[in-house]
Amino acid sequence: MDTQPTDPTPSVDAAPAPGGHERRLHPWSWLFVLLQQLRQFLVPLAVLVFVGGRAEDGYLLWSLVGVAALVAAAVWQYFTYRYRVDEDRLVVRDGLLERNVRQVPFARIHNVTLHQTLLHRAFGVAEVRLESAGGTKPEAEMRVLPMVEAMALERLIRSRGAASAAPGADAGAHGVDIADAGEGRVVLTLPFGELVRLGLASNRGMVVVAGAFALAWQALPDRIMTGLVREYAGQAVGYAGNLVHGAAARVMALAALVVLALALLRLLSVLLALTQYHGFRLLLEGRRVTVERGLLTRLRTSVSRRRIQAWTLHEGLVHRLLGRRSVQVDTVGGSGEDSEQRSLRELAPIATPAACDALVRDVLPGAAWPPVGWRRLHPRAWQRLALPGALLAAIVAAAACWHFGPVGLVALAWLPWSMFAARRHAGHAGYALDERLLAVRGGWWSRYWRFAEIDKIQALRLEQGPLDRAFGMATLWLDTAGAKPTSTPLRLRFIAVAEARALHRRLAADLAGMPLRW
């Protein structure tokens, strides 16, 4: 439950000022540190309490001793953690026996994340994470600060300590919520209808169910999981069989159960989308891009525009049926254990194609998007794309004929589909290049557009395999900072060799004549 601010103008002492004195965390910060530690040690403590034996054996006492040690460590951290805001940096000091002092220049901070759970919002506090490029851990993690200080600190970092920052001018007093503390121009919001479309177009429900199943399979013995699967599968089949009689009717009943399960998964996806993206807002605040989202857990993530390294526009089959796309970006930042969840990655989880194009032009003023002219791939690119599927169909058909006889030739029915799909992929694929952007597009059922500013490209690689040489084509790979392993690669596939070499020379010359921007 959110607490509304009682005083719209916070006191000057509540907001950190450049060159000020050292400040502590929130007085209740030790509680949040304790809860975080208990999450890590929950399983061992539960084993001691419930599996360890009788109370007189001492296991319960050892559990209480462990909890007391965690409480002492949390309180210790509160009394030893200090931070100070200087003109151009943040100074963090912690530790008692082993003292640590970290100086974090504002210019080094690339991503600022404010995180609020329901408990944070009840206490009017937020967790602040400051991340830099390439770091595996945050430069500073403050668990927790009063909301007014967290917002003021974010503004100071955003303005790089400029004298006109005026920290705390717009933040509320104790109990202010992230959603109420935003500034800048709102570029995109997601009303209820868009969140429902997002749930329908995503597979978040399937991911959650699959993850829960995998976790249960690892946690429970194999025989128990096997028995549960057989039991519930048998019950489903038996229920379908009792409803109707006859083989065809039973098949239809099982198909109906499958459709019902898929519908429930989509419903779960819609609920997850409503929870994760409730109150979504994309804001432009000077040189920074800020995203706010979340119903139960509220996230506010801010990153400088020039930290965005590459863009991906994506639309799956359901997106196309709904007339929607999504926009994701690669940003330079840390790669900690939960950076994927808290980093700014989705600028538009779902939006109309026109809104996505307008968003790109807003964040990259002066960029020509969408490109005027797309260049096609090599004329024989569809043959190169169809070749792996044709070879696979021939191998499967040969193996099936050897094992089953002439009926195995049915596997060759894959050939027409493989060629049709290759033509469709090659027909949509292409690339565009101007003075500022290099873009590629591809896909058929699921389409994508990926592009980057030329001065953000950090490496070039011209690749030509045996098949490529036989077809007279090559692939040009381009690397940017911040790309995740799951990101769509930025590559120009199956273009003529002479064209690929000319592009390689041009881009190499452009990169040699300009400094790489991070």
Side-chain angles (χ1 to χ4, degrees):
M1 179 177 178
D2 296 346
T3 305
Q4 297 298 326
T6 57
D7 184 3
T9 306
S11 63
V12 176
D13 294 336
H21 58 278
E22 290 187 338
R23 308 179 69 91
R24 294 180 184 268
L25 301 176
H26 191 275
W28 286 103
S29 63
W30 65 270
L31 175 62
F32 294 89
V33 174
L34 174 62
L35 293 176
Q36 181 70 19
Q37 294 174 341
L38 286 176
R39 287 175 55 188
Q40 300 176 0
F41 294 97
L42 183 61
V43 174
L45 291 175
V47 170
L48 284 176
V49 172
F50 296 104
V51 185
R54 297 170 300 175
E56 55 267 24
D57 293 334
Y59 291 100
L60 182 59
L61 178 61
W62 283 112
S63 300
L64 295 177
V65 171
V67 172
L70 294 178
V71 172
V75 175
W76 187 304
Q77 178 173 334
Y78 167 73
F79 282 108
T80 58
Y81 194 101
R82 301 285 192 280
Y83 78 96
R84 184 180 76 250
V85 177
D86 288 344
E87 292 295 334
D88 61 344
R89 68 191 61 206
L90 182 73
V91 181
V92 178
R93 178 168 61 88
D94 61 355
L96 183 60
L97 301 179
E98 181 178 350
R99 305 296 292 272
N100 299 313
V101 179
R102 285 171 291 168
Q103 299 191 25
V104 186
F106 288 147
R108 186 178 176 183
I109 299 173
H110 293 174
N111 188 35
V112 183
T113 301
L114 272 61
H115 174 244
Q116 279 188 309
T117 63
L118 287 177
L119 186 61
H120 287 95
R121 296 162 74 179
F123 280 83
V125 298
E127 177 183 333
V128 181
R129 293 165 57 95
L130 309 177
E131 298 178 350
S132 64
T136 58
K137 296 175 61 177
E139 290 292 332
E141 187 172 8
M142 302 177 179
R143 191 184 296 123
V144 291
L145 290 179
M147 191 60 204
V148 61
E149 292 190 22
M151 293 300 304
L153 183 60
E154 184 197 35
R155 284 195 300 274
L156 278 174
I157 296 171
R158 185 172 67 235
S159 61
R160 297 292 190 264
S164 60
D170 299 319
H174 177 81
V176 72
D177 192 8
I178 287 177
D180 300 323
E183 299 176 354
R185 177 168 62 93
V186 178
V187 177
L188 180 68
T189 60
L190 295 183
F192 178 81
E194 291 298 316
L195 293 179
V196 172
R197 293 185 182 94
L198 175 60
L200 294 175
S202 67
N203 289 320
R204 289 179 171 84
M206 178 69 74
V207 172
V208 171
V209 171
F213 184 81
L215 180 62
W217 197 280
Q218 292 292 329
L220 298 176
D222 292 346
R223 57 182 180 83
I224 296 180
M225 282 300 301
T226 303
L228 290 176
V229 171
R230 290 178 177 176
E231 178 182 356
Y232 287 111
Q235 289 180 0
V237 173
Y239 177 73
N242 292 331
L243 290 178
V244 293
H245 300 284
R250 290 183 179 181
V251 170
M252 294 181 62
L254 289 176
L257 289 179
V258 172
V259 172
L260 177 61
L262 294 177
L264 292 177
L265 288 176
R266 288 296 176 180
L267 178 60
L268 178 58
S269 297
V270 171
L271 295 177
L272 290 174
L274 291 172
T275 302
Q276 296 174 357
Y277 295 95
H278 171 78
F280 179 93
R281 297 199 308 166
L282 174 66
L283 304 98
L284 294 184
E285 305 173 303
R287 294 177 297 175
R288 301 189 73 84
V289 181
T290 301
V291 167
E292 302 172 353
R293 64 178 177 88
L295 177 61
L296 303 179
T297 297
R298 198 74 187 151
L299 287 177
R300 176 182 170 95
T301 307
S302 175
V303 69
S304 175
R305 299 191 199 191
R306 63 191 182 94
R307 309 301 184 192
I308 298 177
Q309 303 297 303
W311 298 67
T312 303
L313 281 69
H314 173 264
E315 60 178 22
L317 180 60
V318 181
H319 287 88
R320 295 169 62 185
L321 295 176
L322 298 174
R324 296 296 186 271
R325 288 179 186 169
S326 65
V327 180
Q328 296 183 344
V329 293
D330 298 337
T331 58
V332 177
S335 57
E337 58 182 5
D338 58 351
S339 64
E340 190 71 20
Q341 175 187 0
R342 300 187 183 182
S343 63
L344 196 155
R345 183 162 178 81
E346 290 182 305
L347 292 190
I350 193 168
T352 62
C356 292
D357 294 339
L359 188 155
V360 174
R361 293 191 294 268
D362 279 335
V363 180
L364 293 178
W369 185 264
V372 177
W374 288 92
R375 304 181 188 181
R376 305 292 296 274
L377 303 184
H378 192 283
R380 300 176 63 191
W382 73 271
Q383 300 176 12
R384 175 67 176 84
L385 288 170
L387 187 59
L391 292 176
L392 178 61
I395 293 173
V396 172
C401 288
W402 178 78
H403 191 75
F404 299 106
V407 71
L409 294 175
V410 175
L412 294 178
W414 179 259
L415 283 175
W417 170 257
S418 178
M419 294 181 180
F420 174 74
R423 281 187 174 274
R424 299 292 294 178
H425 278 282
H428 178 258
Y431 73 95
L433 177 65
D434 58 24
E435 296 299 324
R436 183 174 178 182
L437 299 179
L438 186 146
V440 298
R441 67 181 185 183
W444 172 37
W445 289 92
S446 179
R447 297 181 177 181
Y448 69 88
W449 294 259
R450 184 163 173 83
F451 65 93
E453 297 176 90
I454 294 177
D455 59 351
K456 301 293 180 65
I457 298 173
Q458 299 204 1
L460 302 172
R461 186 172 80 252
L462 188 65
E463 187 177 275
Q464 192 179 27
L467 289 177
D468 296 329
R469 287 194 293 269
F471 281 91
M473 57 186 63
T475 297
L476 183 62
W477 292 78
L478 305 102
D479 294 330
T480 58
K484 304 295 187 295
T486 56
S487 298
T488 303
L490 184 60
R491 60 182 178 179
L492 283 63
R493 299 185 69 194
F494 308 144
I495 57 179
V497 175
E499 188 177 359
R501 290 174 178 171
L503 285 171
H504 186 272
R505 287 193 299 268
R506 173 186 168 180
L507 292 174
D510 289 343
L511 296 182
M514 64 177 64
L516 294 181
R517 292 168 53 190
W518 269 22

